[in-house]
Amino acid sequence: MTSYDYDLFVIGGGSGGVRAARVSASLGKKVGLAEEYRFGGTCVIRGCVPKKLFVYASQYPEHFEDAVGYGWTVGETSFNWPTLIANKDRELARLEAIYKGGVERAGGDTFHSRAWLVDAHTVHIEAEKRTVTAERILIATGGRPNPHASLPGHEHCILSDDAFHLPELPASIVIAGGGYIAVEFANIFHGLGVQTTLVYRGKEILGRFDMDLRRMLHETMVEKGIRILCETRFERIDKRDDGKLVAHLNEGDPIVADQVMLALGRTPNTENLGLEAAGAKLGTPRARVVDAYSRTSADNIWAVGDVTNRVQLTPVAIHEAMCFVDTVFRDKPTRPDHEAIATAVFSQPEIGTVGLSEEDAGKQFDDVEIYRAVFRPMRNILPGRQEKMLTKLVVDGKARKVVGAHILGPDAGEMAQLLGIVIKGGLTKDVVDATMAVHPTAAEELVTMYQPSYRLKGGERVG
Ligand SMILES: Cc1cc2nc3c(=O)[nH]c(=O)nc-3n(C[C@H](O)[C@H](O)[C@H](O)COP(=O)(O)OP(=O)(O)OC[C@H]3O[C@@H](n4cnc5c(N)ncnc54)[C@H](O)[C@@H]3O)c2cc1C
């Protein structure tokens, strides 16, 4: 029998790779994990975590404004960007150590190095200029922001990775994109006092989300002072002698700004990994092909997380890693379940959503009931803030099952987490109706919408 240095070698120390390495090592497997940049990966170092810290920072101006309605006098305030960056970096370093240390404490070996496959069982560890062998290999190399190299002047622009350590906060920014990263950063920069324009080529921001959420968020962002140009594209970016950037659009006047950020999707890191040499066929240009259990076309090589281009979210990468461990090391073949994934957009106001949009439910079911409430949350009343909240349930009219839940407003992400259980559990609207409200909360609206606001029959709105 061939003997290998490792039972499992993981390439990529992000959400998926670290979880797979740590849990496999804790099962007594001999595990190696290589990370070329920083342990923790996109989520911890240049994604979810620093982004959410920035979101919190950007909400303070509204908190200061609202405090007055509650009787507070807020004195002179000021914001210091280097302090935020330094505090954020300290927190990321703490988390990075936890991620790396977790694998090591479980008995795994960590390598601070780029790694690639020499063949199906041999991994080259660049920093150590040596190879190791492994019975199984897990590719968890994630993805990177698309630099949009075909855009003239793209080299003057920043990507989401750069936004986390800009030397100074710009006075103005133009962001290209309409996905959640573009929308979140537009709100972050605006909240921090940056004059912000969002340019999106599609009809409405946040494609694939429920249209109610998209429209209402768009309107609220505009009311706050963010300029949003839909059905508009960048043609080129010029840099002036004074250092300012000029974004030329397919229509309308060019926009002059201190920074231009491109948030135009992410590309899986599949290149230069030696996949062909290892017999793992590359899939479409943008994706690795894995089967329902995350196995590639090479028997002993598996892939999880963003590199597989399935659903690019941290909990999904972690779930896929856990399914991989169950399948390979616990003798419990488990397919990752990508149905009804609850998610949030940390816009301002926040979005929390799970299950089918009204539009998709209309295509899937003959009879759909929509329960919808738009109201001013209590916390906005005394400050005189006009911002409204939306709660919406989408129900399969025949089976009575709740198939979608959509919220726009404070703590929407927290609510979506719990509504995810309702939808995953296949609970009916009757169960929701029978649930006692928690009063006074905004979430109580979700269990007190007793009558449908309207129905869809054959996808068409009636009543
Ligand atoms: C700005 C932003 C905000 C986000 N916000 C959220 C959010 O709020 N909620 C959410 O769920 N998700 C969010 N995400 C997505 C989330 O970060 C990813 O889905 C998640 O990190 C994917 O985990 P992964 O393990 O697949 O890859 P990653 O976390 O990207 O890890 C891959 C790692 O592999 C390393 N690597 C690559 N190639 C090699 C190699 N050859 N050798 C060694 N190491 C290598 C990389 O350096 C990287 O550290 C956000 C992403 C971004 C960019």
Short mmCIF file of all heavy atoms in Angstrom, two decimals, residues 404-463:
data_model
loop_
_atom_site.label_atom_id
_atom_site.label_comp_id
_atom_site.label_asym_id
_atom_site.label_seq_id
_atom_site.Cartn_x
_atom_site.Cartn_y
_atom_site.Cartn_z
N GLY A 404 -40.88 32.04 0.82
CA GLY A 404 -39.94 33.16 0.74
C GLY A 404 -40.22 34.15 1.85
O GLY A 404 -41.38 34.33 2.26
N ALA A 405 -39.17 34.78 2.36
CA ALA A 405 -39.34 35.81 3.39
C ALA A 405 -38.31 36.91 3.10
O ALA A 405 -37.13 36.60 2.88
CB ALA A 405 -39.12 35.23 4.78
N HIS A 406 -38.79 38.15 3.08
CA HIS A 406 -37.92 39.25 2.67
C HIS A 406 -38.14 40.44 3.59
O HIS A 406 -39.28 40.84 3.82
CB HIS A 406 -38.24 39.65 1.22
CG HIS A 406 -38.28 38.46 0.31
ND1 HIS A 406 -37.15 37.81 -0.11
CD2 HIS A 406 -39.33 37.76 -0.20
CE1 HIS A 406 -37.49 36.78 -0.86
NE2 HIS A 406 -38.81 36.73 -0.93
N ILE A 407 -37.04 40.98 4.07
CA ILE A 407 -37.14 42.10 5.02
C ILE A 407 -36.16 43.18 4.60
O ILE A 407 -35.03 42.88 4.23
CB ILE A 407 -36.80 41.64 6.45
CG1 ILE A 407 -37.72 40.48 6.83
CG2 ILE A 407 -36.95 42.77 7.45
CD1 ILE A 407 -37.05 39.54 7.75
N LEU A 408 -36.62 44.42 4.71
CA LEU A 408 -35.73 45.57 4.54
C LEU A 408 -35.90 46.43 5.77
O LEU A 408 -37.02 46.88 6.06
CB LEU A 408 -36.12 46.36 3.29
CG LEU A 408 -35.28 47.61 3.04
CD1 LEU A 408 -33.94 47.25 2.40
CD2 LEU A 408 -36.02 48.59 2.13
N GLY A 409 -34.84 46.64 6.50
CA GLY A 409 -34.96 47.49 7.69
C GLY A 409 -33.95 47.06 8.74
O GLY A 409 -33.17 46.12 8.53
N PRO A 410 -33.97 47.75 9.89
CA PRO A 410 -32.99 47.43 10.94
C PRO A 410 -33.02 45.95 11.34
O PRO A 410 -34.10 45.38 11.49
CB PRO A 410 -33.44 48.32 12.11
CG PRO A 410 -34.26 49.40 11.50
CD PRO A 410 -34.88 48.82 10.28
N ASP A 411 -31.86 45.36 11.48
CA ASP A 411 -31.70 43.97 11.93
C ASP A 411 -32.32 42.93 10.99
O ASP A 411 -32.63 41.80 11.41
CB ASP A 411 -32.28 43.79 13.35
CG ASP A 411 -31.65 44.74 14.34
OD1 ASP A 411 -30.42 44.96 14.23
OD2 ASP A 411 -32.36 45.28 15.20
N ALA A 412 -32.50 43.29 9.74
CA ALA A 412 -33.12 42.36 8.79
C ALA A 412 -32.31 41.07 8.67
O ALA A 412 -32.88 39.98 8.53
CB ALA A 412 -33.27 43.03 7.43
N GLY A 413 -30.98 41.18 8.71
CA GLY A 413 -30.14 39.99 8.60
C GLY A 413 -30.38 39.03 9.76
O GLY A 413 -30.42 37.80 9.59
N GLU A 414 -30.53 39.61 10.96
CA GLU A 414 -30.78 38.77 12.14
C GLU A 414 -32.12 38.03 11.98
O GLU A 414 -32.25 36.86 12.34
CB GLU A 414 -30.83 39.63 13.41
CG GLU A 414 -29.65 40.58 13.60
CD GLU A 414 -28.38 39.89 14.05
OE1 GLU A 414 -28.45 38.78 14.56
OE2 GLU A 414 -27.29 40.49 13.86
N MET A 415 -33.11 38.74 11.46
CA MET A 415 -34.43 38.10 11.29
C MET A 415 -34.38 37.01 10.23
O MET A 415 -35.02 35.96 10.36
CB MET A 415 -35.47 39.15 10.90
CG MET A 415 -35.75 40.15 11.98
SD MET A 415 -37.07 41.26 11.43
CE MET A 415 -36.59 42.73 12.30
N ALA A 416 -33.63 37.26 9.14
CA ALA A 416 -33.55 36.28 8.06
C ALA A 416 -32.97 34.96 8.57
O ALA A 416 -33.36 33.88 8.12
CB ALA A 416 -32.70 36.81 6.91
N GLN A 417 -32.04 35.06 9.52
CA GLN A 417 -31.45 33.84 10.07
C GLN A 417 -32.55 32.93 10.65
O GLN A 417 -32.58 31.73 10.41
CB GLN A 417 -30.44 34.19 11.16
CG GLN A 417 -29.77 32.99 11.77
CD GLN A 417 -28.94 32.22 10.75
OE1 GLN A 417 -27.81 32.59 10.48
NE2 GLN A 417 -29.48 31.17 10.18
N LEU A 418 -33.49 33.53 11.39
CA LEU A 418 -34.54 32.73 12.04
C LEU A 418 -35.61 32.33 11.04
O LEU A 418 -36.15 31.21 11.11
CB LEU A 418 -35.13 33.51 13.20
CG LEU A 418 -34.06 33.92 14.25
CD1 LEU A 418 -34.68 34.72 15.37
CD2 LEU A 418 -33.36 32.70 14.81
N LEU A 419 -35.90 33.22 10.09
CA LEU A 419 -36.89 32.85 9.07
C LEU A 419 -36.37 31.70 8.21
O LEU A 419 -37.16 30.93 7.64
CB LEU A 419 -37.21 34.06 8.19
CG LEU A 419 -38.09 35.09 8.90
CD1 LEU A 419 -38.08 36.41 8.15
CD2 LEU A 419 -39.53 34.57 9.03
N GLY A 420 -35.04 31.59 8.13
CA GLY A 420 -34.45 30.48 7.39
C GLY A 420 -34.92 29.14 7.96
O GLY A 420 -35.12 28.17 7.23
N ILE A 421 -35.13 29.10 9.27
CA ILE A 421 -35.58 27.85 9.92
C ILE A 421 -37.02 27.56 9.50
O ILE A 421 -37.38 26.41 9.21
CB ILE A 421 -35.47 27.97 11.45
CG1 ILE A 421 -34.02 28.26 11.86
CG2 ILE A 421 -35.99 26.71 12.14
CD1 ILE A 421 -33.83 28.65 13.31
N VAL A 422 -37.84 28.60 9.42
CA VAL A 422 -39.25 28.43 9.00
C VAL A 422 -39.29 27.81 7.60
O VAL A 422 -40.04 26.86 7.34
CB VAL A 422 -39.97 29.81 8.98
CG1 VAL A 422 -41.35 29.69 8.38
CG2 VAL A 422 -40.01 30.41 10.38
N ILE A 423 -38.45 28.34 6.73
CA ILE A 423 -38.51 27.88 5.33
C ILE A 423 -37.84 26.52 5.18
O ILE A 423 -38.36 25.63 4.51
CB ILE A 423 -37.92 28.96 4.42
CG1 ILE A 423 -38.87 30.16 4.51
CG2 ILE A 423 -37.73 28.45 2.99
CD1 ILE A 423 -38.69 31.23 3.53
N LYS A 424 -36.70 26.34 5.83
CA LYS A 424 -36.01 25.04 5.77
C LYS A 424 -36.90 23.95 6.36
O LYS A 424 -36.94 22.82 5.88
CB LYS A 424 -34.70 25.14 6.57
CG LYS A 424 -33.67 24.15 6.19
CD LYS A 424 -33.01 24.56 4.89
CE LYS A 424 -32.25 23.45 4.28
NZ LYS A 424 -31.96 23.68 2.87
N GLY A 425 -37.63 24.30 7.41
CA GLY A 425 -38.50 23.32 8.06
C GLY A 425 -39.80 23.09 7.31
O GLY A 425 -40.63 22.28 7.73
N GLY A 426 -40.01 23.82 6.21
CA GLY A 426 -41.23 23.64 5.42
C GLY A 426 -42.48 24.03 6.20
O GLY A 426 -43.56 23.46 5.99
N LEU A 427 -42.35 25.01 7.09
CA LEU A 427 -43.50 25.39 7.92
C LEU A 427 -44.55 26.13 7.09
O LEU A 427 -44.24 26.81 6.12
CB LEU A 427 -43.05 26.26 9.09
CG LEU A 427 -42.04 25.61 10.05
CD1 LEU A 427 -41.81 26.51 11.26
CD2 LEU A 427 -42.51 24.24 10.50
N THR A 428 -45.79 25.98 7.52
CA THR A 428 -46.89 26.61 6.78
C THR A 428 -47.18 27.99 7.37
O THR A 428 -46.80 28.32 8.49
CB THR A 428 -48.17 25.77 6.87
OG1 THR A 428 -48.56 25.72 8.24
CG2 THR A 428 -47.97 24.38 6.30
N LYS A 429 -47.96 28.75 6.61
CA LYS A 429 -48.38 30.08 7.09
C LYS A 429 -49.23 29.93 8.34
O LYS A 429 -49.22 30.82 9.21
CB LYS A 429 -49.16 30.78 5.97
CG LYS A 429 -49.64 32.18 6.32
CD LYS A 429 -48.49 33.14 6.51
CE LYS A 429 -48.92 34.58 6.62
NZ LYS A 429 -49.84 34.89 7.69
N ASP A 430 -49.94 28.82 8.47
CA ASP A 430 -50.77 28.62 9.67
C ASP A 430 -49.90 28.55 10.93
O ASP A 430 -50.29 29.04 11.99
CB ASP A 430 -51.61 27.33 9.54
CG ASP A 430 -52.42 27.37 8.25
OD1 ASP A 430 -52.90 28.47 7.90
OD2 ASP A 430 -52.54 26.32 7.59
N VAL A 431 -48.72 27.95 10.81
CA VAL A 431 -47.80 27.89 11.96
C VAL A 431 -47.33 29.31 12.29
O VAL A 431 -47.25 29.69 13.47
CB VAL A 431 -46.60 26.98 11.66
CG1 VAL A 431 -45.60 27.01 12.81
CG2 VAL A 431 -47.05 25.56 11.38
N VAL A 432 -47.04 30.08 11.25
CA VAL A 432 -46.61 31.47 11.48
C VAL A 432 -47.73 32.23 12.19
O VAL A 432 -47.50 32.95 13.16
CB VAL A 432 -46.24 32.15 10.14
CG1 VAL A 432 -45.91 33.62 10.34
CG2 VAL A 432 -45.04 31.44 9.49
N ASP A 433 -48.96 32.05 11.71
CA ASP A 433 -50.12 32.76 12.31
C ASP A 433 -50.32 32.34 13.77
O ASP A 433 -50.78 33.13 14.59
CB ASP A 433 -51.41 32.44 11.53
CG ASP A 433 -51.42 33.09 10.16
OD1 ASP A 433 -50.55 33.96 9.91
OD2 ASP A 433 -52.28 32.72 9.33
N ALA A 434 -50.01 31.08 14.07
CA ALA A 434 -50.23 30.58 15.43
C ALA A 434 -49.11 30.98 16.39
O ALA A 434 -49.18 30.71 17.58
CB ALA A 434 -50.34 29.05 15.39
N THR A 435 -48.08 31.62 15.85
CA THR A 435 -46.93 32.00 16.67
C THR A 435 -47.21 33.33 17.37
O THR A 435 -47.61 34.30 16.72
CB THR A 435 -45.67 32.12 15.78
OG1 THR A 435 -45.49 30.87 15.12
CG2 THR A 435 -44.44 32.45 16.60
N MET A 436 -47.01 33.36 18.67
CA MET A 436 -47.26 34.58 19.44
C MET A 436 -46.24 35.65 19.08
O MET A 436 -45.05 35.37 18.93
CB MET A 436 -47.17 34.25 20.93
CG MET A 436 -47.73 35.30 21.84
SD MET A 436 -49.52 35.48 21.64
CE MET A 436 -50.11 34.02 22.49
N ALA A 437 -46.70 36.87 18.94
CA ALA A 437 -45.80 37.98 18.62
C ALA A 437 -44.94 38.34 19.83
O ALA A 437 -45.34 38.11 20.97
CB ALA A 437 -46.63 39.20 18.21
N VAL A 438 -43.78 38.88 19.57
CA VAL A 438 -42.95 39.46 20.62
C VAL A 438 -43.13 40.97 20.51
O VAL A 438 -42.84 41.55 19.46
CB VAL A 438 -41.46 39.10 20.41
CG1 VAL A 438 -40.60 39.74 21.49
CG2 VAL A 438 -41.26 37.60 20.38
N HIS A 439 -43.63 41.59 21.56
CA HIS A 439 -44.02 42.99 21.46
C HIS A 439 -43.26 43.85 22.46
O HIS A 439 -43.03 43.41 23.58
CB HIS A 439 -45.53 43.08 21.76
CG HIS A 439 -46.07 44.45 21.61
ND1 HIS A 439 -46.26 45.04 20.38
CD2 HIS A 439 -46.43 45.36 22.55
CE1 HIS A 439 -46.74 46.26 20.57
NE2 HIS A 439 -46.86 46.49 21.88
N PRO A 440 -42.87 45.05 22.13
CA PRO A 440 -42.93 45.68 20.81
C PRO A 440 -41.62 45.45 20.05
O PRO A 440 -40.56 45.83 20.52
CB PRO A 440 -43.09 47.16 21.14
CG PRO A 440 -42.51 47.33 22.52
CD PRO A 440 -42.46 45.99 23.19
N THR A 441 -41.74 44.83 18.92
CA THR A 441 -40.58 44.60 18.04
C THR A 441 -41.02 44.90 16.61
O THR A 441 -42.23 44.98 16.34
CB THR A 441 -40.09 43.14 18.06
OG1 THR A 441 -41.14 42.30 17.55
CG2 THR A 441 -39.70 42.67 19.45
N ALA A 442 -40.06 45.02 15.72
CA ALA A 442 -40.40 45.14 14.30
C ALA A 442 -40.73 43.76 13.76
O ALA A 442 -41.60 43.60 12.89
CB ALA A 442 -39.23 45.75 13.54
N ALA A 443 -40.08 42.74 14.31
CA ALA A 443 -40.26 41.37 13.80
C ALA A 443 -41.68 40.86 14.03
O ALA A 443 -42.13 39.93 13.34
CB ALA A 443 -39.25 40.44 14.48
N GLU A 444 -42.42 41.46 14.95
CA GLU A 444 -43.78 40.95 15.21
C GLU A 444 -44.67 41.09 13.97
O GLU A 444 -45.64 40.36 13.81
CB GLU A 444 -44.42 41.62 16.43
CG GLU A 444 -44.75 43.08 16.29
CD GLU A 444 -45.29 43.67 17.60
OE1 GLU A 444 -46.32 43.20 18.08
OE2 GLU A 444 -44.67 44.61 18.13
N GLU A 445 -44.32 42.06 13.09
CA GLU A 445 -45.09 42.20 11.85
C GLU A 445 -45.14 40.88 11.09
O GLU A 445 -46.12 40.56 10.42
CB GLU A 445 -44.45 43.25 10.94
CG GLU A 445 -44.66 44.68 11.36
CD GLU A 445 -46.14 45.10 11.36
OE1 GLU A 445 -46.89 44.65 10.48
OE2 GLU A 445 -46.52 45.86 12.27
N LEU A 446 -44.03 40.12 11.19
CA LEU A 446 -43.94 38.88 10.41
C LEU A 446 -44.98 37.84 10.84
O LEU A 446 -45.36 36.98 10.04
CB LEU A 446 -42.53 38.29 10.55
CG LEU A 446 -41.46 39.08 9.78
CD1 LEU A 446 -40.07 38.80 10.33
CD2 LEU A 446 -41.54 38.76 8.29
N VAL A 447 -45.41 37.89 12.09
CA VAL A 447 -46.39 36.89 12.55
C VAL A 447 -47.80 37.49 12.70
O VAL A 447 -48.71 36.83 13.18
CB VAL A 447 -45.95 36.22 13.88
CG1 VAL A 447 -44.69 35.41 13.68
CG2 VAL A 447 -45.78 37.23 15.00
N THR A 448 -47.95 38.73 12.26
CA THR A 448 -49.29 39.35 12.41
C THR A 448 -49.86 39.82 11.07
O THR A 448 -50.80 40.60 11.03
CB THR A 448 -49.24 40.54 13.41
OG1 THR A 448 -48.20 41.43 13.03
CG2 THR A 448 -49.00 40.06 14.83
N MET A 449 -49.29 39.35 9.99
CA MET A 449 -49.85 39.68 8.67
C MET A 449 -50.83 38.55 8.32
O MET A 449 -50.49 37.58 7.66
CB MET A 449 -48.73 39.78 7.63
CG MET A 449 -47.73 40.89 7.92
SD MET A 449 -46.53 41.15 6.58
CE MET A 449 -45.54 39.68 6.67
N TYR A 450 -52.07 38.68 8.82
CA TYR A 450 -53.01 37.54 8.72
C TYR A 450 -53.67 37.42 7.35
O TYR A 450 -54.02 36.33 6.91
CB TYR A 450 -54.07 37.65 9.82
CG TYR A 450 -53.47 37.61 11.21
CD1 TYR A 450 -53.53 38.71 12.05
CD2 TYR A 450 -52.81 36.46 11.67
CE1 TYR A 450 -52.97 38.68 13.33
CE2 TYR A 450 -52.23 36.43 12.94
CZ TYR A 450 -52.32 37.53 13.75
OH TYR A 450 -51.75 37.50 15.00
N GLN A 451 -53.91 38.54 6.69
CA GLN A 451 -54.59 38.50 5.39
C GLN A 451 -53.60 38.76 4.26
O GLN A 451 -52.76 39.66 4.39
CB GLN A 451 -55.68 39.60 5.32
CG GLN A 451 -56.82 39.42 6.30
CD GLN A 451 -57.52 38.07 6.10
OE1 GLN A 451 -57.69 37.60 4.97
NE2 GLN A 451 -57.89 37.43 7.20
N PRO A 452 -53.72 38.00 3.16
CA PRO A 452 -52.81 38.29 2.05
C PRO A 452 -53.01 39.73 1.54
O PRO A 452 -54.15 40.20 1.49
CB PRO A 452 -53.20 37.28 0.97
CG PRO A 452 -54.29 36.46 1.49
CD PRO A 452 -54.65 36.91 2.87
N SER A 453 -51.92 40.39 1.21
CA SER A 453 -52.03 41.74 0.63
C SER A 453 -52.52 41.63 -0.80
O SER A 453 -53.26 42.46 -1.30
CB SER A 453 -50.68 42.44 0.65
OG SER A 453 -50.13 42.37 1.95
N TYR A 454 -52.07 40.59 -1.49
CA TYR A 454 -52.54 40.28 -2.84
C TYR A 454 -52.10 38.86 -3.19
O TYR A 454 -51.37 38.22 -2.43
CB TYR A 454 -52.04 41.31 -3.88
CG TYR A 454 -50.54 41.52 -3.91
CD1 TYR A 454 -49.71 40.78 -4.74
CD2 TYR A 454 -49.95 42.49 -3.08
CE1 TYR A 454 -48.34 40.99 -4.76
CE2 TYR A 454 -48.57 42.70 -3.10
CZ TYR A 454 -47.78 41.96 -3.94
OH TYR A 454 -46.42 42.16 -3.96
N ARG A 455 -52.60 38.38 -4.34
CA ARG A 455 -52.28 37.01 -4.79
C ARG A 455 -51.67 37.06 -6.18
O ARG A 455 -51.89 38.03 -6.91
CB ARG A 455 -53.55 36.16 -4.90
CG ARG A 455 -54.35 35.99 -3.65
CD ARG A 455 -55.48 35.01 -3.96
NE ARG A 455 -55.38 33.81 -3.16
CZ ARG A 455 -55.80 33.73 -1.90
NH1 ARG A 455 -56.36 34.79 -1.31
NH2 ARG A 455 -55.69 32.61 -1.22
N LEU A 456 -50.99 35.99 -6.52
CA LEU A 456 -50.57 35.81 -7.90
C LEU A 456 -51.23 34.55 -8.41
O LEU A 456 -51.19 33.52 -7.74
CB LEU A 456 -49.05 35.62 -8.00
CG LEU A 456 -48.12 36.65 -7.36
CD1 LEU A 456 -46.66 36.22 -7.55
CD2 LEU A 456 -48.33 38.03 -7.96
N LYS A 457 -51.90 34.65 -9.56
CA LYS A 457 -52.49 33.46 -10.20
C LYS A 457 -51.78 33.30 -11.54
O LYS A 457 -51.82 34.23 -12.36
CB LYS A 457 -53.99 33.64 -10.44
CG LYS A 457 -54.80 33.77 -9.15
CD LYS A 457 -55.34 32.42 -8.72
CE LYS A 457 -56.23 32.60 -7.49
NZ LYS A 457 -56.32 31.40 -6.69
N GLY A 458 -51.17 32.15 -11.72
CA GLY A 458 -50.41 31.93 -12.96
C GLY A 458 -49.36 33.02 -13.17
O GLY A 458 -49.09 33.42 -14.30
N GLY A 459 -48.81 33.52 -12.08
CA GLY A 459 -47.75 34.53 -12.16
C GLY A 459 -48.26 35.96 -12.27
O GLY A 459 -47.49 36.90 -12.16
N GLU A 460 -49.59 36.13 -12.47
CA GLU A 460 -50.15 37.48 -12.61
C GLU A 460 -50.76 37.94 -11.30
O GLU A 460 -51.44 37.16 -10.63
CB GLU A 460 -51.25 37.50 -13.69
CG GLU A 460 -50.78 37.21 -15.10
CD GLU A 460 -49.80 38.27 -15.60
OE1 GLU A 460 -50.04 39.46 -15.37
OE2 GLU A 460 -48.77 37.86 -16.19
N ARG A 461 -50.57 39.21 -10.99
CA ARG A 461 -51.11 39.75 -9.74
C ARG A 461 -52.63 39.92 -9.84
O ARG A 461 -53.14 40.49 -10.80
CB ARG A 461 -50.45 41.10 -9.45
CG ARG A 461 -50.94 41.73 -8.19
CD ARG A 461 -50.11 42.93 -7.81
NE ARG A 461 -50.77 43.64 -6.74
CZ ARG A 461 -50.21 44.54 -5.98
NH1 ARG A 461 -48.96 44.85 -6.18
NH2 ARG A 461 -50.88 45.15 -5.04
N VAL A 462 -53.34 39.41 -8.84
CA VAL A 462 -54.80 39.61 -8.77
C VAL A 462 -55.13 40.11 -7.35
O VAL A 462 -54.44 39.78 -6.40
CB VAL A 462 -55.60 38.32 -9.06
CG1 VAL A 462 -55.49 37.91 -10.51
CG2 VAL A 462 -55.17 37.18 -8.15
N GLY A 463 -56.18 40.89 -7.25
CA GLY A 463 -56.66 41.32 -5.92
C GLY A 463 -55.77 42.31 -5.23
O GLY A 463 -54.68 42.63 -5.67
#
